[in-house]
Amino acid sequence: MNLLISLIPGVFELTMIRFGIAGFGLHAVRRLMPGFALAQNCKVVALSRRDADKAREAAAHFAIPHVFASTEELCRCPEVDAVLVTTPNACHLPDVLTAIAADKPVLCEKPMGMSAEECRQMVEAARRAGVLLGVAQVFRFEESTARFRARVAAGDIGRPIFARSEFSYPGLGHTRKWLYNRAIAGGGPIADVGVHCIDALRYILQDEPRVVSVLGRSDGQSGDVEAAASVTLEFQRGTLATVLVSTRAQYRTPLEIVGESGVLRANDALNVERPVKIELWRDGQCVAEDTVSNQMAYARQVDSFAAALEGGESFPAAGEEGWRNQIILDAAYHSMTSGKSEKIVPLGDTGG
C-alpha cells in the first residue's frame, strides 16, 4: 500500500488513509462519523450494511461514495486502505479475518471477540499476514485518561491502593436489541462497557489484574445477560479495583484512584460530550484541578491508527490489548457463574 504522495520533486506529504466501516449503524452515526469529521489524516470512503435502504441513506447523508452489502464486498474495494469493524460482537471474528485475508489493516470495535480464543485467532492471523490489527479502546485516546495516567506515574498520589471506575447508562428500549442476546453480544454491560473501564484501569495503572471476582444481576428485561454487575480486580502490584456497570442506572462514568498520599477523581471522567474536571485531593483538601475535554478522542483514535499505517508511532491499542481484555472478560464471566474468584492467566502464559 503506497501511503506517500509527492507534491514537489523530493518533497513528500502523508496521504489521507481511506477507511471503510463494516456494519455501519448507530455507533457509526453517533460517535465514529463525528470523530472522522475532526480527524486530520483519514476519512471514510465506504460502508457496508445488510439493510440496503439504510446503507444508501447513510451514504447519502455522510457523502460516502462506496456502499456495500457485506464486509467481504467492502474489503475487495481498492479505494479502501483500512477497515473499521463495527458489526455485532459475534461477527467480529469472521469480519476481521475477512479483512486480514484481503490484506487490509483492521481496527475492530470492543470487545474484540466473543472469547479469548477468538482474539487469539485474530492476532495470529494479523501477525502471519503482516497487517496492523487494533482494538477500538477509545478511552486510551481521551485527555482525561492521559491526565490520570500521567499523575499516577508521576507519584502524585503515591502507591495506588484502590481504584474505581463506573459506567452506567439506561439501556431499556435501546435500538441495539442484540445487546440482550448472549449468543450475539457475548455478555451484558460487563462486555459492552465494563471492558472500557477495565482497559482504562490497566492503561492508567500500567499494571495487569491477576484475580477477578464478579457479582451480577439480571432482570425480566435483560434477556440472558446481566443488567448490572460489580467486578472486583486485584492487580499484580496490589491495587484493589472495582468496576460497576449497569444498563439500568442513569448515565455516569466516574473514575477515582486512591493512593497512599492522595486521591485523583473526576465525575463522568470518561464522557466525550462535556468538559471533565479532574481533582487531586490530599489530607481532605482539593490541592489541584484540571479541566479537560475528551471531544477529540474518536478523532485521535483513527488518526493514531492512520499514523501507525504511515510508519509513525505504534498504535496504543494493538490487537494484543483486545486479547488481554478478553482474557479478563472470560474470567469475569466464569466468576459470575461459579460464584468464586477466578485467576487471570497472563497473555504470555496462554501461548501468545
Side-chain angles (χ1 to χ4, degrees):
M1 181 165 44
N2 183 12
L3 300 176
L4 297 175
I5 58 174
S6 178
L7 299 179
I8 303 173
V11 178
F12 291 89
E13 181 174 300
L14 296 177
T15 65
M16 294 286 282
I17 297 299
R18 301 166 298 181
F19 273 86
I21 298 180
F24 195 101
L26 179 63
H27 183 61
V29 171
R30 291 184 59 194
R31 301 297 190 201
L32 299 181
M33 292 309 296
F36 275 107
L38 297 171
Q40 298 296 309
N41 63 334
C42 55
K43 61 182 179 180
V44 178
V45 301
L47 67 84
S48 67
R49 187 167 184 170
R50 287 178 298 176
D51 188 313
D53 291 336
K54 290 182 178 180
R56 286 191 294 268
E57 179 182 344
H61 179 76
F62 291 105
I64 298 173
H66 302 289
V67 184
F68 302 99
S70 69
T71 300
E72 184 177 7
E73 292 174 329
L74 181 146
C75 291
R76 289 201 299 263
C77 178
E79 302 299 314
V80 171
D81 299 318
V83 177
L84 178 46
V85 171
T86 66
T87 48
N89 301 343
C91 302
H92 287 182
L93 176 61
D95 287 339
V96 167
L97 295 182
T98 295
I100 292 171
D103 200 31
K104 304 288 188 183
V106 55
L107 177 59
C108 182
E109 267 300 332
K110 57 76 212 166
M112 198 165 84
M114 298 283 282
S115 67
E117 169 58 22
E118 288 195 354
C119 295
R120 181 193 65 79
Q121 294 181 49
M122 296 182 218
V123 169
E124 293 185 352
R127 289 174 181 170
R128 288 192 299 268
V131 301
L132 178 62
L133 169 64
V135 62
Q137 295 291 170
V138 72
F139 290 174
R140 291 188 178 224
F141 302 91
E142 291 188 333
E143 185 64 26
S144 59
T145 306
R147 295 293 180 92
F148 267 81
R149 177 180 164 101
R151 281 199 175 274
V152 170
D156 288 354
I157 61 169
R159 184 172 65 91
I161 305 300
F162 297 121
R164 174 176 61 92
S165 181
E166 300 180 28
F167 200 133
S168 297
Y169 66 92
L172 291 175
H174 202 287
T175 56
R176 293 187 296 164
K177 293 182 174 58
W178 56 266
L179 287 173
Y180 297 112
N181 185 337
R182 184 176 295 276
I184 300 175
I190 295 175
D192 183 33
V193 291
V195 67
H196 269 318
C197 298
I198 291 167
D199 186 74
L201 291 175
R202 290 180 54 234
Y203 186 67
I204 291 167
L205 296 172
Q206 300 185 60
D207 196 7
E208 297 295 334
R210 63 184 187 90
V211 178
V212 62
S213 180
V214 178
L215 180 64
R217 292 288 182 265
S218 59
D219 59 32
Q221 296 171 292
S222 62
D224 59 356
V225 301
E226 74 280 3
S230 173
V231 180
T232 302
L233 299 162
E234 180 185 345
F235 280 79
Q236 292 178 3
R237 292 200 292 268
T239 305
L240 295 177
T242 57
V243 170
L244 303 177
V245 294
S246 175
T247 51
R248 296 296 179 265
Q250 293 297 299
Y251 179 84
R252 51 186 270 113
T253 61
L255 180 63
E256 184 175 53
I257 313 291
V258 179
E260 288 181 324
S261 58
V263 178
L264 277 173
R265 68 189 188 194
N267 291 323
D268 284 342
L270 306 173
N271 89 91
V272 296
E273 290 93 1
R274 299 180 301 279
V276 177
K277 184 170 71 173
I278 302 171
E279 299 175 340
L280 172 62
W281 286 71
R282 293 195 184 114
D283 298 323
Q285 293 185 336
C286 182
V287 297
E289 290 185 2
D290 288 319
T291 299
V292 300
S293 172
N294 292 328
Q295 183 182 9
M296 295 295 294
Y298 283 92
R300 288 190 182 118
Q301 178 174 249
V302 291
D303 269 342
S304 177
F305 192 82
L309 293 180
E310 294 176 322
E313 296 181 1
S314 60
F315 186 63
E320 287 81 358
E321 299 303 327
W323 186 0
R324 288 186 176 93
N325 287 333
Q326 192 65 54
I327 290 171
I328 299 166
L329 292 183
D330 287 359
Y333 280 114
H334 288 155
S335 173
M336 192 166 68
T337 300
S338 70
K340 301 177 181 178
S341 296
E342 297 287 342
K343 290 185 178 180
I344 299 167
V345 180
L347 183 59
D349 294 343
T350 66

